[in-house]
């Protein structure tokens, strides 16, 4: 009798424990924050649910696609919960540096390649992906591309989310109406001549939709690279260009505005960071726009039938192309993450799963892995103009990407470009002032 009673009690306890386990897994699948035991969390019985944070910035289409991938992964892995933290780019760098400095950063982090050197000054903030090769397949990435953009001090700190290139997207219906043959546009002087012709044809029209914030960084860096064949500065905080080089670039900016090639800065500045929202772009009063490939999609232009890409304009006798080819962004895992292994298993799905490739398409520009690119090309999931821009950039892309320029230096260039655009001084005076500011700032950074 005693044995039967004990057996009955043990049987009831086993049933209750099974019911509790089922309830825990249901809660995890529904997004409960409870840290209930789940055998699916890391593939081993008894492990708690792995709850991770993934932070990124981008457009609504990027948010929707990324959330869909997260849902797909969570549904297949009920022991994993990924909290999405997303928004716009404004303030992102400042927020991330604060989080990394205070050890409160998300587990999975999207960051811009230009941020990397500044972020690593905080410390050893990212997991070396080379130590996680048993969790993520890296064979689809171009190794040279990884070495150029993702390896710092021998550590692989991030993976490219996409391949992006600077491009001039042209609306041929506008240029054709003004009698402009875009195949003849090779140099910046050609661009200015086309700008004058278009503006004379219709005073409401401008050749280039080029945002001031980009002129203050990528445009200046590209043109200095063309003139010198070098990055703008060295690791020892010395400059690779002269006062004359900088004067030429500032003078070019001034002439692009004064010739009517660019819309006046006081009219276009409100659309910085989103030139495709400029009403003149929407009404087809621009002939072309300077965009990176991650922004070349049907949401940002509506003239697919008359669209074309022209190569990056250059200086006569340029020492290199100045064509920018770089990661759209990088994604890494914080060194403080409790769930680094689980994070890399998710990233393996993010980068290598076929359904993920179909879901993400080009929301982070042209896919970074060969497999994903081929799937998207075969199924016509990529904008043909973005593909053409990358195809043009790959053979001629500059090696001088200027990704390690301190933010203080970048801001000096942005401020100077704004002064030129708004005519707050002569080009010569602004050049002299900028050279002095650069010298003072570099001396401070050396110290």
């Amino acid at each position: 009798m005693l044995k039967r009673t004990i057996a009955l009690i043990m049987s009831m306890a086993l049933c209750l424990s099974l019911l509790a386990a089922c309830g825990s897994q249901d809660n995890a699948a529904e997004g409960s924050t409870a840290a209930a035991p789940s055998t699916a969390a890391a593939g081993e019985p008894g492990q708690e649910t792995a709850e991770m944070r993934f932070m990124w910035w981008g457009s609504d289409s990027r948010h929707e696609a990324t959330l869909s991938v997260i849902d797909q992964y969570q549904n297949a892995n009920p022991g994993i919960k990924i909290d999405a933290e997303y928004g716009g780019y404004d303030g992102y760098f400042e927020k991330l540096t604060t989080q990394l400095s205070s050890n409160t950063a998300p587990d999975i982090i999207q960051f811009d390649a230009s941020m990397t050197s500044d972020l690593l000054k905080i410390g050893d903030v990212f997991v070396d992906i080379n130590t996680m090769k048993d969790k993520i397949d890296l064979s689809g990435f171009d190794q040279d591309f990884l070495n150029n953009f993702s390896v710092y001090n021998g550590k692989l700190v991030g993976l490219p989310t996409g391949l992006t290139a600077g491009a001039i997207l042209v609306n041929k219906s506008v240029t054709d109406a003004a009698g402009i043959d875009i195949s003849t546009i090779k140099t910046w002087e050609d661009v200015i001549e086309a700008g004058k012709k278009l503006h004379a044809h219709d005073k409401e029209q401008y050749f280039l939709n080029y945002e001031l914030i980009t002129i203050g960084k990528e445009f200046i860096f590209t043109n200095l690279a063309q003139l010198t064949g070098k990055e703008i500065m060295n690791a020892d905080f010395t400059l690779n260009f002269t006062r004359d080089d900088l004067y030429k670039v500032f003078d070019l900016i001034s002439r692009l505005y004064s010739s009517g090639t660019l819309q006046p800065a006081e009219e276009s500045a409100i659309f910085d960071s989103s030139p495709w929202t400029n009403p003149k772009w929407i009404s087809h009063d621009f002939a072309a726009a300077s965009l990176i490939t991650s922004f070349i999609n049907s949401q940002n232009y509506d003239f697919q039938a008359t669209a074309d890409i022209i190569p990056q304009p250059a200086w006569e006798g340029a020492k290199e192309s100045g064509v920018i080819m770089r990661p759209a962004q990088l994604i890494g895992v914080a060194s403080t993450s409790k769930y680094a292994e689980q994070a890399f298993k998710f990233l393996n799905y993010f980068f290598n799963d076929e359904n993920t490739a179909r879901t993400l398409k080009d929301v982070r520009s042209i896919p970074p892995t060969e497999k994903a690119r081929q799937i998207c090309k075969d199924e016509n999931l990529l904008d043909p103009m973005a593909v053409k821009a990358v195809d043009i950039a790959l053979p001629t892309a500059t090696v001088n990407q200027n990704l390690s320029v301190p933010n203080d230096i970048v801001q000096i260039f942005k401020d100077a470009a704004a002064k030129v655009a708004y005519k707050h001084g002569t080009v010569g005076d602004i050049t002299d002032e900028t050279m002095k500011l650069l010298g003072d700032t570099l001396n401070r950074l050396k110290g």
Side-chain angles (χ1 to χ4, degrees):
M1 180 70 178
L2 179 60
K3 290 181 180 179
R4 291 178 61 189
T5 302
I6 292 173
L8 179 60
I9 292 170
M10 291 178 67
S11 177
M12 292 174 65
L14 178 61
C15 290
L16 288 171
S17 66
L18 287 171
L19 286 170
C22 291
S24 298
Q25 287 199 352
D26 287 344
N27 287 339
E30 292 169 5
S32 169
T33 58
S38 170
T39 59
E44 296 180 6
Q47 272 195 319
E48 66 179 25
T49 298
E51 184 169 352
M52 299 176 286
R53 295 157 57 208
F54 178 10
M55 186 169 80
W56 73 89
W57 77 87
S59 62
D60 288 342
S61 59
R62 181 182 296 173
H63 301 332
E64 292 166 7
T66 307
L67 290 170
S68 181
V69 170
I70 290 173
D71 286 342
Q72 293 166 19
Y73 189 77
Q74 288 182 149
N75 289 339
N77 299 271
I80 299 291
K81 186 176 188 303
I82 300 174
D83 296 320
E85 300 178 9
Y86 56 92
Y89 185 73
D90 288 348
Y92 188 93
F93 176 77
E94 292 76 13
K95 177 181 179 181
L96 179 56
T97 53
T98 299
Q99 291 175 326
L100 289 171
S101 299
S102 60
N103 295 326
T104 59
D107 302 84
I108 304 167
I109 302 167
Q110 174 181 296
F111 56 101
D112 192 87
S114 63
M115 299 177 180
T116 310
S117 60
D118 282 332
L119 296 178
L120 292 178
K121 290 175 184 175
I122 298 171
D124 194 14
V125 293
F126 294 112
V127 173
D128 180 2
I129 301 171
N130 287 318
T131 66
M132 291 288 177
K133 287 183 177 179
D134 59 331
K135 303 296 185 296
I136 182 168
D137 179 9
L138 303 179
S139 62
F141 294 92
D142 182 277
Q143 192 59 51
D144 288 337
F145 198 78
L146 292 183
N147 288 337
N148 287 336
F149 296 107
S150 301
V151 175
Y152 286 75
N153 299 321
K155 296 181 179 181
L156 182 60
V157 299
L159 293 174
T161 62
L163 308 178
T164 187
I168 307 293
L169 175 65
V170 180
N171 184 350
K172 288 183 66 179
S173 67
V174 178
T175 55
D176 288 350
I180 297 170
D181 181 0
I182 63 172
S183 68
T184 65
I185 299 175
K186 308 295 183 184
T187 69
W188 284 112
E189 296 304 320
D190 296 334
V191 171
I192 289 175
E193 288 307 309
K196 290 178 179 177
K197 189 171 184 177
L198 179 63
H199 201 54
H201 169 74
D202 186 336
K203 67 177 182 179
E204 295 299 322
Q205 294 187 327
Y206 301 91
F207 188 81
L208 266 180
N209 180 10
Y210 213 142
E211 53 179 340
L212 184 54
I213 195 170
T214 302
I215 291 173
K217 184 181 179 184
E218 280 80 5
F219 179 92
I220 291 176
F221 291 175
T222 289
N223 281 278
L224 286 174
Q226 288 180 354
L227 290 170
T228 66
K230 300 176 182 179
E231 295 202 0
I232 66 164
M233 58 180 286
N234 301 307
D236 63 357
F237 298 102
T238 56
L239 297 176
N240 280 323
F241 61 89
T242 66
R243 189 259 184 201
D244 185 53
D245 294 325
L246 189 60
Y247 177 89
K248 289 178 181 177
V249 177
F250 284 174
D251 183 58
L252 173 59
I253 295 170
S254 177
R255 290 191 297 125
L256 286 168
Y257 279 108
S258 63
S259 64
T261 303
L262 295 177
Q263 183 183 21
E266 54 267 26
E267 297 177 18
S268 64
I270 191 173
F271 308 107
D272 273 356
S273 301
S274 54
W276 51 89
T277 63
N278 190 315
K280 283 192 174 293
W281 178 249
I282 297 168
S283 64
H284 299 174
D285 283 319
F286 282 114
S290 176
L291 298 172
I292 56 174
T293 48
S294 54
F295 290 120
I296 299 178
N297 56 63
S298 58
Q299 288 186 319
N300 294 336
Y301 75 104
D302 63 356
F303 49 88
Q304 283 75 15
T306 58
D308 205 350
I309 297 289
I310 61 173
Q312 173 74 41
W315 292 77
E316 292 283 358
K319 295 182 179 179
E320 66 168 65
S321 70
V323 173
I324 294 175
M325 181 79 186
R326 51 171 289 189
Q329 303 90 28
L330 296 175
I331 287 183
V333 173
S335 56
T336 53
S337 172
K338 289 172 52 182
Y339 301 110
E341 291 189 4
Q342 292 92 330
F344 279 105
K345 288 179 180 179
F346 166 71
L347 289 180
N348 187 58
Y349 179 84
F350 185 89
F351 286 110
N352 295 314
D353 184 79
E354 292 185 8
N355 287 329
T356 298
R358 295 185 179 97
T359 302
L360 293 177
K361 296 180 286 190
D362 59 356
V363 297
R364 288 180 173 84
S365 199
I366 303 301
T369 65
E370 185 177 353
K371 178 181 177 182
R373 284 197 298 276
Q374 196 59 53
I375 289 171
C376 290
K377 284 183 179 180
D378 291 345
E379 300 181 18
N380 297 316
L381 300 177
L382 301 176
D383 188 290
M385 291 299 103
V387 174
K388 182 173 182 178
V390 168
D391 288 343
I392 289 174
L394 274 171
T396 60
T398 178
V399 296
N400 299 309
Q401 302 288 335
N402 292 293
L403 295 179
S404 300
V405 180
N407 204 47
D408 289 352
I409 299 299
V410 173
Q411 192 58 51
I412 290 172
F413 284 116
K414 288 181 176 178
D415 291 344
K419 289 178 181 178
V420 173
Y422 288 111
K423 298 183 177 63
H424 290 171
T426 67
V427 171
D429 288 344
I430 295 169
T431 303
D432 291 335
E433 179 187 27
T434 303
M435 291 298 292
K436 183 179 186 308
L437 285 170
L438 289 170
D440 292 345
T441 302
L442 288 171
N443 285 333
R444 175 173 57 80
L445 291 173
K446 281 181 191 177

